[in-house]
Amino acid sequence: MTASDTGTGTGTLEFSSLVPNRALPADVEESITAGLIAALPTLKMGTLFAHRRDMFREADLITLATDMTDRTVVGALSSRWCTTPSGGTFLHILTQFVGERYQGGIAFPRSWGSHFARLYEHWSRFPDLFVLKTYNPIVYCVMRAFTRVPGVTFYPEIRAGRHDPDAAERATEIAKIIAPDHFFDPVSGVIRGIGEPADLYPALPESRNADVNAYFASCARPGDRMLCMLSVPTPEAAGMILEVFGVTPKTIPVQMARSGVVGLLAGTDGRNGQR
């Protein structure tokens, strides 16, 4: 553990960030996993953590939401920096979980705000590419919503009718890094058989977008995950996204064109997506 900080509590939640540097103490890891198992009783979290702790052990940054009444962890967001063979970088979102009692509230946006703030504090940078894998249409919709910011693009984009060949090629390169032992279909965006356990969710989660729900149902089986990429190519676009989460670092010019941006998360509930 090289650093930690405690955020400001909001309501009954407190937000904090850890920079584990590949050495997360065992007692901290156990408190995180025990809290999430209790906070998400309808998901097979115990089975997940019996097989996988990489989402914490391989993370460069972990943001936690803690219930201040009993000091239990009820939400977690973790990420790591990755480098491509061509020398590019991207932020791989390893996991985002929000306890069932706290879904639809402040936990999701405040977790991301704290995460972004710490990224700037520790690395002084904003990712120009976000990558995650998910079996959750809600996560897909939340991520795609940021294409309302000018210049931001998303893959796989089912509304386009066909995928951009350049985006598909980039996704194939990314899949080799985050899922080297699994088959990836660049047309659908699906990584086959990487989800463990395959039955983490009792059923395919449903978003408010019927087309997205149908896309997941037709393309992905329970053990599969959708590879999602959000490209943020300019400082102006980064500034607008940061403004949504209340983060305005001096190193990025923030455009004040708020139309459709401040309300970006409206209509979403930030429910969970195991990556």
Side-chain angles (χ1 to χ4, degrees):
M1 182 80 61
T2 59
S4 66
D5 70 272
T6 301
T8 302
T10 303
T12 62
L13 295 182
E14 182 179 71
F15 297 86
S16 61
S17 292
L18 310 173
V19 183
N21 196 26
R22 310 288 190 239
L24 189 67
D27 60 332
V28 175
E29 182 179 294
E30 289 305 315
S31 71
I32 295 171
T33 56
L36 293 176
I37 289 170
L40 292 159
T42 63
L43 303 186
K44 293 192 174 181
M45 301 294 289
T47 305
L48 170 66
F49 292 137
H51 294 278
R52 290 190 53 208
R53 300 289 182 99
D54 56 285
M55 63 192 71
F56 304 122
R57 294 175 180 173
E58 297 181 3
D60 290 318
L61 181 62
I62 302 170
T63 296
L64 303 175
T66 302
D67 190 310
M68 296 173 65
T69 59
D70 57 9
R71 308 305 303 173
T72 58
V73 173
V74 297
L77 166 62
S78 64
S79 68
R80 64 171 179 169
W81 292 102
C82 295
T83 303
T84 66
S86 59
T89 61
F90 63 90
L91 191 71
H92 180 197
I93 309 305
L94 295 167
T95 197
Q96 162 80 85
F97 285 114
V98 175
E100 293 174 7
R101 283 182 53 203
Y102 306 90
Q103 293 170 11
I106 63 168
F108 178 80
R110 283 295 306 275
S111 292
W112 274 103
S114 296
H115 206 72
F116 284 142
R118 191 52 184 268
L119 282 174
Y120 264 99
E121 179 183 338
H122 202 75
W123 288 279
S124 300
R125 60 194 298 197
F126 185 88
D128 58 12
L129 182 66
F130 293 83
V131 173
L132 61 80
K133 55 186 186 294
T134 186
Y135 185 63
N136 194 330
I138 299 168
V139 173
Y140 177 100
C141 290
V142 172
M143 196 172 185
R144 189 179 69 173
F146 286 94
T147 58
R148 299 177 196 171
V149 175
V152 172
T153 59
F154 180 75
Y155 165 96
E157 181 49 89
I158 64 173
R159 293 177 301 196
R162 66 178 182 85
H163 298 312
D164 180 338
D166 291 337
E169 182 177 352
R170 192 180 196 186
T172 299
E173 180 183 44
I174 297 297
K176 291 178 181 178
I177 296 171
I178 69 171
D181 300 323
H182 294 268
F183 174 78
F184 172 65
D185 177 12
V187 175
S188 66
V190 169
I191 303 172
R192 297 293 180 197
I194 197 170
E196 187 178 6
D199 59 349
L200 173 67
Y201 297 92
L204 179 69
E206 288 191 356
S207 71
R208 295 186 177 96
N209 188 309
D211 290 338
V212 173
N213 296 337
Y215 185 73
F216 270 74
S218 65
C219 295
R221 299 184 293 268
D224 300 336
R225 295 293 182 263
M226 192 76 65
L227 173 62
C228 298
M229 303 190 311
L230 188 76
S231 177
V232 185
T234 66
E236 291 77 17
M240 295 179 77
I241 291 175
L242 288 170
E243 187 181 8
V244 172
F245 295 100
V247 181
T248 53
K250 295 179 181 178
T251 53
I252 280 194
V254 178
Q255 288 186 346
M256 299 307 291
R258 291 175 172 267
S259 177
V261 177
V262 172
L264 207 53
L265 296 178
T268 68
D269 58 13
R271 277 186 279 167
N272 307 293
Q274 186 265 325
R275 316 303 182 205

